[in-house]
Structures are given as C-alpha cells and as structure tokens.
Amino acid sequence: MADVIRAEPMPATVRAARFVLTLEVAFGMVGVAFAGATVIASAGAAPVLLLVLFQAAVTALQGWLVSRWPSRRKRVRWGAVAVEVVSAAARLAIVAIDGDLGWASVLPRVLFPLAVVIPLLTPPAGRWFDR
C-alpha cells in the first residue's frame, strides 16, 4: 500500500491573504460589470474603456493567482505581491490625476492590497510557499 504523507497546513496569514484576494476578485468582477455598462452608456469613451480593460486584466490575473494558490509555488506568492503593488500604484495614480489625494480617497484603494501583501511577506508565508 502507499504511504500517506501529511501536507503542511496553510498558515493563517496565507489563508487570510487568499481570502482577501478572493474578495478582490469578486468585487473586481462586479466593478467590471458596472464599468462595462458605463462604457456602453457613454458610447465607448476611450478613457473609460481603458480603465475598464485595466480593471478586467487585473481581476483576471488575480483570479488566476487564486486558482494557482494550492500549488505553493514561489512565483504565485511573488506574483500576488507584484499584482497587488502594481494595482494599488495604478489606483493611486488615477486618484492623483483626478486631484483628490485625501485620506478618504487613498485609504480604500490601498487597504485591500496591503491586506494581501503584508501577510504574504511574513516568514510563515515564505516557508509555506517554499515547501
């Protein structure tokens, strides 16, 4: 008979990061649907279309990362960190272009990405993804 090998359980920090990333995917899909309706209503305005395409790409990449999470590969961990940092930076750049750099507009845009990046940078996450 085959021997049973127990796998190391996922640390709470990694589980929390995966949960927040899953929430981001869900909210991103809703946001893309509403923004897509806005593009249709505005007869395909180019700036709005570019924002919708960016959000759709980020949401698709986040969804792919969540689906690859159980593989425990280092590139999944660092890919999630990279996607979150780039998406937060892009959202902050959009706010800066609009000229509304206040705590009320900045905090919601960086809260979810920080809730993913910080747990993934902890030593237990590094050990779990390193196998």
Side-chain angles (χ1 to χ4, degrees), residues 17-107:
R18 183 179 66 174
F19 176 74
V20 172
L21 196 57
T22 304
L23 281 178
E24 278 190 275
V25 170
F27 289 143
M29 290 186 330
V30 171
V32 167
F34 281 128
T38 303
V39 168
I40 292 171
S42 65
V48 178
L49 181 61
L50 289 175
L51 290 174
V52 172
L53 290 176
F54 171 75
Q55 182 62 34
V58 168
T59 302
L61 193 53
Q62 288 171 335
W64 181 79
L65 286 168
V66 168
S67 73
R68 300 299 307 154
W69 207 268
S71 72
R72 297 176 64 174
R73 292 188 176 165
K74 287 183 190 179
R75 66 181 177 176
V76 173
R77 175 187 179 207
W78 293 114
V81 169
V83 166
E84 293 299 314
V85 168
V86 168
S87 69
R91 291 173 185 156
L92 288 177
I94 291 169
V95 170
I97 290 170
D98 286 342
D100 187 25
L101 279 176
W103 283 108
S105 61
V106 170
L107 190 62

